[in-house]
Amino acid sequence: MRDRQKGPLSHFWHVFDTWVGARRDSGYRWEGAIEDDTGIRVALHIRTSLVPAFIGRIKKDHPYDVPCILAFTVDDANPDYVAWVERGAREAA
């Protein structure tokens, strides 16, 4: 595993698991114009109690005025994976 002190997400030390997707094209309407851009989708697996702090930090550091930040709970999943994430989240706390 990577050292927690390295990499672009190092200030998110409460993150237990991170998924960084491939660069993708993005099209959206912004201030009346159609914009073409590229971006990377990132998924951060964190405890629900930390979501407000993460949203604040991402909004502060993100280059977009209105970054897409979505938080949701998982209703069903592989029980082994859920147990692994829960153990890791307790250790990161």
PDB file of all heavy atoms in Angstrom, residues 52-84:
ATOM      1  N   PRO A  52     -19.648  16.106   5.429  1.00  0.00           N
ATOM      2  CA  PRO A  52     -19.645  17.572   5.368  1.00  0.00           C
ATOM      3  C   PRO A  52     -18.242  18.182   5.315  1.00  0.00           C
ATOM      4  O   PRO A  52     -17.999  19.118   4.554  1.00  0.00           O
ATOM      5  CB  PRO A  52     -20.383  17.985   6.651  1.00  0.00           C
ATOM      6  CG  PRO A  52     -21.264  16.814   6.966  1.00  0.00           C
ATOM      7  CD  PRO A  52     -20.451  15.614   6.565  1.00  0.00           C
ATOM      8  N   ALA A  53     -17.313  17.645   6.081  1.00  0.00           N
ATOM      9  CA  ALA A  53     -15.949  18.166   6.060  1.00  0.00           C
ATOM     10  C   ALA A  53     -15.289  17.920   4.710  1.00  0.00           C
ATOM     11  O   ALA A  53     -14.575  18.780   4.192  1.00  0.00           O
ATOM     12  CB  ALA A  53     -15.120  17.524   7.179  1.00  0.00           C
ATOM     13  N   PHE A  54     -15.534  16.758   4.122  1.00  0.00           N
ATOM     14  CA  PHE A  54     -14.956  16.463   2.816  1.00  0.00           C
ATOM     15  C   PHE A  54     -15.539  17.372   1.743  1.00  0.00           C
ATOM     16  O   PHE A  54     -14.811  17.862   0.884  1.00  0.00           O
ATOM     17  CB  PHE A  54     -15.180  14.998   2.449  1.00  0.00           C
ATOM     18  CG  PHE A  54     -14.116  14.104   2.992  1.00  0.00           C
ATOM     19  CD1 PHE A  54     -14.073  13.791   4.336  1.00  0.00           C
ATOM     20  CD2 PHE A  54     -13.144  13.593   2.165  1.00  0.00           C
ATOM     21  CE1 PHE A  54     -13.090  12.983   4.843  1.00  0.00           C
ATOM     22  CE2 PHE A  54     -12.152  12.779   2.657  1.00  0.00           C
ATOM     23  CZ  PHE A  54     -12.118  12.468   4.008  1.00  0.00           C
ATOM     24  N   ILE A  55     -16.827  17.614   1.792  1.00  0.00           N
ATOM     25  CA  ILE A  55     -17.437  18.512   0.816  1.00  0.00           C
ATOM     26  C   ILE A  55     -16.817  19.902   0.926  1.00  0.00           C
ATOM     27  O   ILE A  55     -16.456  20.513  -0.082  1.00  0.00           O
ATOM     28  CB  ILE A  55     -18.972  18.557   0.982  1.00  0.00           C
ATOM     29  CG1 ILE A  55     -19.578  17.228   0.530  1.00  0.00           C
ATOM     30  CG2 ILE A  55     -19.578  19.726   0.196  1.00  0.00           C
ATOM     31  CD1 ILE A  55     -21.068  17.101   0.793  1.00  0.00           C
ATOM     32  N   GLY A  56     -16.647  20.391   2.138  1.00  0.00           N
ATOM     33  CA  GLY A  56     -16.024  21.696   2.325  1.00  0.00           C
ATOM     34  C   GLY A  56     -14.611  21.746   1.794  1.00  0.00           C
ATOM     35  O   GLY A  56     -14.216  22.709   1.129  1.00  0.00           O
ATOM     36  N   ARG A  57     -13.839  20.712   2.058  1.00  0.00           N
ATOM     37  CA  ARG A  57     -12.439  20.688   1.594  1.00  0.00           C
ATOM     38  C   ARG A  57     -12.365  20.597   0.071  1.00  0.00           C
ATOM     39  O   ARG A  57     -11.562  21.271  -0.563  1.00  0.00           O
ATOM     40  CB  ARG A  57     -11.709  19.513   2.243  1.00  0.00           C
ATOM     41  CG  ARG A  57     -10.264  19.368   1.823  1.00  0.00           C
ATOM     42  CD  ARG A  57      -9.468  20.615   2.272  1.00  0.00           C
ATOM     43  NE  ARG A  57      -8.125  20.585   1.778  1.00  0.00           N
ATOM     44  CZ  ARG A  57      -7.049  20.330   2.511  1.00  0.00           C
ATOM     45  NH1 ARG A  57      -7.187  20.069   3.791  1.00  0.00           N
ATOM     46  NH2 ARG A  57      -5.868  20.329   1.971  1.00  0.00           N
ATOM     47  N   ILE A  58     -13.201  19.740  -0.526  1.00  0.00           N
ATOM     48  CA  ILE A  58     -13.184  19.591  -1.977  1.00  0.00           C
ATOM     49  C   ILE A  58     -13.588  20.905  -2.643  1.00  0.00           C
ATOM     50  O   ILE A  58     -12.953  21.342  -3.603  1.00  0.00           O
ATOM     51  CB  ILE A  58     -14.089  18.424  -2.419  1.00  0.00           C
ATOM     52  CG1 ILE A  58     -13.481  17.096  -1.939  1.00  0.00           C
ATOM     53  CG2 ILE A  58     -14.267  18.422  -3.931  1.00  0.00           C
ATOM     54  CD1 ILE A  58     -14.436  15.922  -2.023  1.00  0.00           C
ATOM     55  N   LYS A  59     -14.648  21.556  -2.134  1.00  0.00           N
ATOM     56  CA  LYS A  59     -15.073  22.829  -2.711  1.00  0.00           C
ATOM     57  C   LYS A  59     -13.965  23.879  -2.619  1.00  0.00           C
ATOM     58  O   LYS A  59     -13.783  24.678  -3.529  1.00  0.00           O
ATOM     59  CB  LYS A  59     -16.342  23.315  -2.029  1.00  0.00           C
ATOM     60  CG  LYS A  59     -17.568  22.525  -2.427  1.00  0.00           C
ATOM     61  CD  LYS A  59     -18.794  22.901  -1.625  1.00  0.00           C
ATOM     62  CE  LYS A  59     -19.209  24.327  -1.846  1.00  0.00           C
ATOM     63  NZ  LYS A  59     -20.460  24.664  -1.159  1.00  0.00           N
ATOM     64  N   LYS A  60     -13.220  23.855  -1.540  1.00  0.00           N
ATOM     65  CA  LYS A  60     -12.127  24.822  -1.345  1.00  0.00           C
ATOM     66  C   LYS A  60     -10.997  24.577  -2.346  1.00  0.00           C
ATOM     67  O   LYS A  60     -10.433  25.526  -2.892  1.00  0.00           O
ATOM     68  CB  LYS A  60     -11.602  24.691   0.083  1.00  0.00           C
ATOM     69  CG  LYS A  60     -10.442  25.580   0.421  1.00  0.00           C
ATOM     70  CD  LYS A  60     -10.040  25.350   1.879  1.00  0.00           C
ATOM     71  CE  LYS A  60      -8.755  26.036   2.210  1.00  0.00           C
ATOM     72  NZ  LYS A  60      -7.573  25.314   1.797  1.00  0.00           N
ATOM     73  N   ASP A  61     -10.656  23.331  -2.591  1.00  0.00           N
ATOM     74  CA  ASP A  61      -9.486  22.988  -3.407  1.00  0.00           C
ATOM     75  C   ASP A  61      -9.791  22.744  -4.880  1.00  0.00           C
ATOM     76  O   ASP A  61      -8.879  22.756  -5.701  1.00  0.00           O
ATOM     77  CB  ASP A  61      -8.808  21.732  -2.848  1.00  0.00           C
ATOM     78  CG  ASP A  61      -8.174  21.964  -1.494  1.00  0.00           C
ATOM     79  OD1 ASP A  61      -7.986  23.142  -1.118  1.00  0.00           O
ATOM     80  OD2 ASP A  61      -7.865  20.982  -0.803  1.00  0.00           O
ATOM     81  N   HIS A  62     -11.031  22.496  -5.244  1.00  0.00           N
ATOM     82  CA  HIS A  62     -11.372  22.108  -6.616  1.00  0.00           C
ATOM     83  C   HIS A  62     -11.320  23.319  -7.553  1.00  0.00           C
ATOM     84  O   HIS A  62     -11.728  24.420  -7.177  1.00  0.00           O
ATOM     85  CB  HIS A  62     -12.774  21.495  -6.648  1.00  0.00           C
ATOM     86  CG  HIS A  62     -13.016  20.654  -7.847  1.00  0.00           C
ATOM     87  ND1 HIS A  62     -13.316  21.191  -9.072  1.00  0.00           N
ATOM     88  CD2 HIS A  62     -12.996  19.313  -8.012  1.00  0.00           C
ATOM     89  CE1 HIS A  62     -13.476  20.214  -9.942  1.00  0.00           C
ATOM     90  NE2 HIS A  62     -13.278  19.066  -9.326  1.00  0.00           N
ATOM     91  N   PRO A  63     -10.836  23.139  -8.784  1.00  0.00           N
ATOM     92  CA  PRO A  63     -10.766  24.273  -9.707  1.00  0.00           C
ATOM     93  C   PRO A  63     -12.126  24.735 -10.238  1.00  0.00           C
ATOM     94  O   PRO A  63     -12.248  25.876 -10.685  1.00  0.00           O
ATOM     95  CB  PRO A  63      -9.891  23.748 -10.852  1.00  0.00           C
ATOM     96  CG  PRO A  63     -10.028  22.270 -10.800  1.00  0.00           C
ATOM     97  CD  PRO A  63     -10.224  21.927  -9.352  1.00  0.00           C
ATOM     98  N   TYR A  64     -13.156  23.889 -10.197  1.00  0.00           N
ATOM     99  CA  TYR A  64     -14.483  24.298 -10.671  1.00  0.00           C
ATOM    100  C   TYR A  64     -15.186  25.140  -9.614  1.00  0.00           C
ATOM    101  O   TYR A  64     -15.029  24.917  -8.413  1.00  0.00           O
ATOM    102  CB  TYR A  64     -15.358  23.088 -10.960  1.00  0.00           C
ATOM    103  CG  TYR A  64     -15.024  22.298 -12.206  1.00  0.00           C
ATOM    104  CD1 TYR A  64     -15.770  21.175 -12.530  1.00  0.00           C
ATOM    105  CD2 TYR A  64     -13.995  22.652 -13.058  1.00  0.00           C
ATOM    106  CE1 TYR A  64     -15.497  20.432 -13.674  1.00  0.00           C
ATOM    107  CE2 TYR A  64     -13.714  21.928 -14.201  1.00  0.00           C
ATOM    108  CZ  TYR A  64     -14.461  20.820 -14.499  1.00  0.00           C
ATOM    109  OH  TYR A  64     -14.186  20.096 -15.620  1.00  0.00           O
ATOM    110  N   ASP A  65     -16.009  26.087 -10.057  1.00  0.00           N
ATOM    111  CA  ASP A  65     -16.832  26.861  -9.127  1.00  0.00           C
ATOM    112  C   ASP A  65     -17.869  25.978  -8.452  1.00  0.00           C
ATOM    113  O   ASP A  65     -18.221  26.198  -7.292  1.00  0.00           O
ATOM    114  CB  ASP A  65     -17.554  27.997  -9.862  1.00  0.00           C
ATOM    115  CG  ASP A  65     -16.610  29.076 -10.357  1.00  0.00           C
ATOM    116  OD1 ASP A  65     -15.482  29.183  -9.819  1.00  0.00           O
ATOM    117  OD2 ASP A  65     -16.990  29.811 -11.286  1.00  0.00           O
ATOM    118  N   VAL A  66     -18.395  25.003  -9.200  1.00  0.00           N
ATOM    119  CA  VAL A  66     -19.429  24.099  -8.689  1.00  0.00           C
ATOM    120  C   VAL A  66     -19.026  22.658  -9.024  1.00  0.00           C
ATOM    121  O   VAL A  66     -19.498  22.087 -10.000  1.00  0.00           O
ATOM    122  CB  VAL A  66     -20.808  24.425  -9.300  1.00  0.00           C
ATOM    123  CG1 VAL A  66     -21.884  23.539  -8.685  1.00  0.00           C
ATOM    124  CG2 VAL A  66     -21.162  25.890  -9.109  1.00  0.00           C
ATOM    125  N   PRO A  67     -18.135  22.058  -8.231  1.00  0.00           N
ATOM    126  CA  PRO A  67     -17.732  20.682  -8.532  1.00  0.00           C
ATOM    127  C   PRO A  67     -18.863  19.701  -8.246  1.00  0.00           C
ATOM    128  O   PRO A  67     -19.694  19.939  -7.372  1.00  0.00           O
ATOM    129  CB  PRO A  67     -16.545  20.441  -7.594  1.00  0.00           C
ATOM    130  CG  PRO A  67     -16.740  21.395  -6.472  1.00  0.00           C
ATOM    131  CD  PRO A  67     -17.437  22.590  -7.070  1.00  0.00           C
ATOM    132  N   CYS A  68     -18.891  18.617  -8.995  1.00  0.00           N
ATOM    133  CA  CYS A  68     -19.872  17.558  -8.764  1.00  0.00           C
ATOM    134  C   CYS A  68     -19.401  16.733  -7.576  1.00  0.00           C
ATOM    135  O   CYS A  68     -18.406  16.015  -7.651  1.00  0.00           O
ATOM    136  CB  CYS A  68     -20.003  16.681 -10.011  1.00  0.00           C
ATOM    137  SG  CYS A  68     -21.133  15.295  -9.760  1.00  0.00           S
ATOM    138  N   ILE A  69     -20.115  16.851  -6.480  1.00  0.00           N
ATOM    139  CA  ILE A  69     -19.805  16.077  -5.274  1.00  0.00           C
ATOM    140  C   ILE A  69     -21.099  15.359  -4.882  1.00  0.00           C
ATOM    141  O   ILE A  69     -22.093  16.004  -4.574  1.00  0.00           O
ATOM    142  CB  ILE A  69     -19.341  16.974  -4.113  1.00  0.00           C
ATOM    143  CG1 ILE A  69     -18.163  17.834  -4.541  1.00  0.00           C
ATOM    144  CG2 ILE A  69     -19.019  16.123  -2.883  1.00  0.00           C
ATOM    145  CD1 ILE A  69     -17.828  18.937  -3.561  1.00  0.00           C
ATOM    146  N   LEU A  70     -21.072  14.055  -4.916  1.00  0.00           N
ATOM    147  CA  LEU A  70     -22.241  13.255  -4.585  1.00  0.00           C
ATOM    148  C   LEU A  70     -21.898  12.334  -3.416  1.00  0.00           C
ATOM    149  O   LEU A  70     -20.845  11.701  -3.412  1.00  0.00           O
ATOM    150  CB  LEU A  70     -22.670  12.399  -5.784  1.00  0.00           C
ATOM    151  CG  LEU A  70     -22.920  13.146  -7.091  1.00  0.00           C
ATOM    152  CD1 LEU A  70     -23.162  12.144  -8.210  1.00  0.00           C
ATOM    153  CD2 LEU A  70     -24.095  14.088  -6.946  1.00  0.00           C
ATOM    154  N   ALA A  71     -22.788  12.258  -2.447  1.00  0.00           N
ATOM    155  CA  ALA A  71     -22.602  11.349  -1.316  1.00  0.00           C
ATOM    156  C   ALA A  71     -23.850  10.484  -1.202  1.00  0.00           C
ATOM    157  O   ALA A  71     -24.972  10.986  -1.309  1.00  0.00           O
ATOM    158  CB  ALA A  71     -22.389  12.138  -0.031  1.00  0.00           C
ATOM    159  N   PHE A  72     -23.638   9.217  -1.019  1.00  0.00           N
ATOM    160  CA  PHE A  72     -24.784   8.317  -0.865  1.00  0.00           C
ATOM    161  C   PHE A  72     -24.385   7.129  -0.018  1.00  0.00           C
ATOM    162  O   PHE A  72     -23.212   6.797   0.122  1.00  0.00           O
ATOM    163  CB  PHE A  72     -25.333   7.858  -2.217  1.00  0.00           C
ATOM    164  CG  PHE A  72     -24.293   7.285  -3.144  1.00  0.00           C
ATOM    165  CD1 PHE A  72     -24.003   5.941  -3.149  1.00  0.00           C
ATOM    166  CD2 PHE A  72     -23.605   8.119  -4.014  1.00  0.00           C
ATOM    167  CE1 PHE A  72     -23.038   5.424  -3.997  1.00  0.00           C
ATOM    168  CE2 PHE A  72     -22.651   7.612  -4.869  1.00  0.00           C
ATOM    169  CZ  PHE A  72     -22.367   6.255  -4.867  1.00  0.00           C
ATOM    170  N   THR A  73     -25.388   6.503   0.573  1.00  0.00           N
ATOM    171  CA  THR A  73     -25.163   5.308   1.370  1.00  0.00           C
ATOM    172  C   THR A  73     -25.360   4.081   0.494  1.00  0.00           C
ATOM    173  O   THR A  73     -26.063   4.136  -0.516  1.00  0.00           O
ATOM    174  CB  THR A  73     -26.119   5.246   2.573  1.00  0.00           C
ATOM    175  OG1 THR A  73     -27.456   5.288   2.096  1.00  0.00           O
ATOM    176  CG2 THR A  73     -25.873   6.412   3.527  1.00  0.00           C
ATOM    177  N   VAL A  74     -24.761   3.006   0.895  1.00  0.00           N
ATOM    178  CA  VAL A  74     -24.859   1.752   0.161  1.00  0.00           C
ATOM    179  C   VAL A  74     -25.935   0.898   0.824  1.00  0.00           C
ATOM    180  O   VAL A  74     -25.870   0.616   2.019  1.00  0.00           O
ATOM    181  CB  VAL A  74     -23.502   1.016   0.164  1.00  0.00           C
ATOM    182  CG1 VAL A  74     -23.614  -0.334  -0.505  1.00  0.00           C
ATOM    183  CG2 VAL A  74     -22.450   1.882  -0.512  1.00  0.00           C
ATOM    184  N   ASP A  75     -26.936   0.517   0.043  1.00  0.00           N
ATOM    185  CA  ASP A  75     -28.020  -0.310   0.570  1.00  0.00           C
ATOM    186  C   ASP A  75     -27.717  -1.800   0.524  1.00  0.00           C
ATOM    187  O   ASP A  75     -28.225  -2.565   1.329  1.00  0.00           O
ATOM    188  CB  ASP A  75     -29.318  -0.047  -0.210  1.00  0.00           C
ATOM    189  CG  ASP A  75     -29.834   1.364   0.001  1.00  0.00           C
ATOM    190  OD1 ASP A  75     -29.663   1.901   1.109  1.00  0.00           O
ATOM    191  OD2 ASP A  75     -30.401   1.924  -0.948  1.00  0.00           O
ATOM    192  N   ASP A  76     -26.905  -2.209  -0.433  1.00  0.00           N
ATOM    193  CA  ASP A  76     -26.597  -3.623  -0.569  1.00  0.00           C
ATOM    194  C   ASP A  76     -25.212  -3.748  -1.196  1.00  0.00           C
ATOM    195  O   ASP A  76     -24.861  -2.964  -2.082  1.00  0.00           O
ATOM    196  CB  ASP A  76     -27.644  -4.310  -1.452  1.00  0.00           C
ATOM    197  CG  ASP A  76     -27.642  -5.811  -1.300  1.00  0.00           C
ATOM    198  OD1 ASP A  76     -27.015  -6.318  -0.345  1.00  0.00           O
ATOM    199  OD2 ASP A  76     -28.261  -6.484  -2.133  1.00  0.00           O
ATOM    200  N   ALA A  77     -24.425  -4.690  -0.728  1.00  0.00           N
ATOM    201  CA  ALA A  77     -23.059  -4.855  -1.238  1.00  0.00           C
ATOM    202  C   ALA A  77     -22.525  -6.219  -0.835  1.00  0.00           C
ATOM    203  O   ALA A  77     -23.144  -6.933  -0.045  1.00  0.00           O
ATOM    204  CB  ALA A  77     -22.160  -3.758  -0.686  1.00  0.00           C
ATOM    205  N   ASN A  78     -21.364  -6.539  -1.369  1.00  0.00           N
ATOM    206  CA  ASN A  78     -20.660  -7.755  -0.976  1.00  0.00           C
ATOM    207  C   ASN A  78     -20.341  -7.652   0.515  1.00  0.00           C
ATOM    208  O   ASN A  78     -19.609  -6.759   0.933  1.00  0.00           O
ATOM    209  CB  ASN A  78     -19.377  -7.872  -1.805  1.00  0.00           C
ATOM    210  CG  ASN A  78     -18.475  -8.999  -1.367  1.00  0.00           C
ATOM    211  OD1 ASN A  78     -18.727  -9.691  -0.394  1.00  0.00           O
ATOM    212  ND2 ASN A  78     -17.397  -9.171  -2.110  1.00  0.00           N
ATOM    213  N   PRO A  79     -20.872  -8.538   1.343  1.00  0.00           N
ATOM    214  CA  PRO A  79     -20.656  -8.440   2.795  1.00  0.00           C
ATOM    215  C   PRO A  79     -19.179  -8.478   3.189  1.00  0.00           C
ATOM    216  O   PRO A  79     -18.772  -7.817   4.143  1.00  0.00           O
ATOM    217  CB  PRO A  79     -21.395  -9.644   3.377  1.00  0.00           C
ATOM    218  CG  PRO A  79     -22.259 -10.159   2.290  1.00  0.00           C
ATOM    219  CD  PRO A  79     -21.724  -9.665   0.988  1.00  0.00           C
ATOM    220  N   ASP A  80     -18.369  -9.226   2.457  1.00  0.00           N
ATOM    221  CA  ASP A  80     -16.935  -9.284   2.766  1.00  0.00           C
ATOM    222  C   ASP A  80     -16.278  -7.927   2.524  1.00  0.00           C
ATOM    223  O   ASP A  80     -15.430  -7.486   3.305  1.00  0.00           O
ATOM    224  CB  ASP A  80     -16.244 -10.357   1.928  1.00  0.00           C
ATOM    225  CG  ASP A  80     -16.783 -11.748   2.211  1.00  0.00           C
ATOM    226  OD1 ASP A  80     -17.224 -11.992   3.364  1.00  0.00           O
ATOM    227  OD2 ASP A  80     -16.780 -12.572   1.287  1.00  0.00           O
ATOM    228  N   TYR A  81     -16.668  -7.252   1.432  1.00  0.00           N
ATOM    229  CA  TYR A  81     -16.113  -5.934   1.136  1.00  0.00           C
ATOM    230  C   TYR A  81     -16.561  -4.922   2.195  1.00  0.00           C
ATOM    231  O   TYR A  81     -15.766  -4.124   2.682  1.00  0.00           O
ATOM    232  CB  TYR A  81     -16.529  -5.465  -0.265  1.00  0.00           C
ATOM    233  CG  TYR A  81     -15.962  -4.115  -0.610  1.00  0.00           C
ATOM    234  CD1 TYR A  81     -14.643  -3.990  -1.027  1.00  0.00           C
ATOM    235  CD2 TYR A  81     -16.722  -2.961  -0.481  1.00  0.00           C
ATOM    236  CE1 TYR A  81     -14.098  -2.754  -1.325  1.00  0.00           C
ATOM    237  CE2 TYR A  81     -16.185  -1.722  -0.778  1.00  0.00           C
ATOM    238  CZ  TYR A  81     -14.873  -1.626  -1.200  1.00  0.00           C
ATOM    239  OH  TYR A  81     -14.346  -0.397  -1.475  1.00  0.00           O
ATOM    240  N   VAL A  82     -17.838  -4.963   2.572  1.00  0.00           N
ATOM    241  CA  VAL A  82     -18.357  -4.039   3.584  1.00  0.00           C
ATOM    242  C   VAL A  82     -17.599  -4.211   4.891  1.00  0.00           C
ATOM    243  O   VAL A  82     -17.188  -3.235   5.527  1.00  0.00           O
ATOM    244  CB  VAL A  82     -19.875  -4.241   3.789  1.00  0.00           C
ATOM    245  CG1 VAL A  82     -20.370  -3.451   4.989  1.00  0.00           C
ATOM    246  CG2 VAL A  82     -20.632  -3.844   2.532  1.00  0.00           C
ATOM    247  N   ALA A  83     -17.361  -5.454   5.308  1.00  0.00           N
ATOM    248  CA  ALA A  83     -16.626  -5.711   6.544  1.00  0.00           C
ATOM    249  C   ALA A  83     -15.207  -5.177   6.453  1.00  0.00           C
ATOM    250  O   ALA A  83     -14.685  -4.579   7.408  1.00  0.00           O
ATOM    251  CB  ALA A  83     -16.610  -7.211   6.837  1.00  0.00           C
ATOM    252  N   TRP A  84     -14.570  -5.335   5.289  1.00  0.00           N
ATOM    253  CA  TRP A  84     -13.209  -4.840   5.081  1.00  0.00           C
ATOM    254  C   TRP A  84     -13.167  -3.316   5.187  1.00  0.00           C
ATOM    255  O   TRP A  84     -12.291  -2.750   5.851  1.00  0.00           O
ATOM    256  CB  TRP A  84     -12.717  -5.322   3.717  1.00  0.00           C
ATOM    257  CG  TRP A  84     -11.358  -4.876   3.325  1.00  0.00           C
ATOM    258  CD1 TRP A  84     -10.168  -5.268   3.876  1.00  0.00           C
ATOM    259  CD2 TRP A  84     -11.030  -3.958   2.280  1.00  0.00           C
ATOM    260  NE1 TRP A  84      -9.124  -4.650   3.225  1.00  0.00           N
ATOM    261  CE2 TRP A  84      -9.625  -3.845   2.247  1.00  0.00           C
ATOM    262  CE3 TRP A  84     -11.798  -3.236   1.369  1.00  0.00           C
ATOM    263  CZ2 TRP A  84      -8.973  -3.024   1.343  1.00  0.00           C
ATOM    264  CZ3 TRP A  84     -11.135  -2.424   0.461  1.00  0.00           C
ATOM    265  CH2 TRP A  84      -9.745  -2.326   0.462  1.00  0.00           C
TER     266      TRP A  84
END
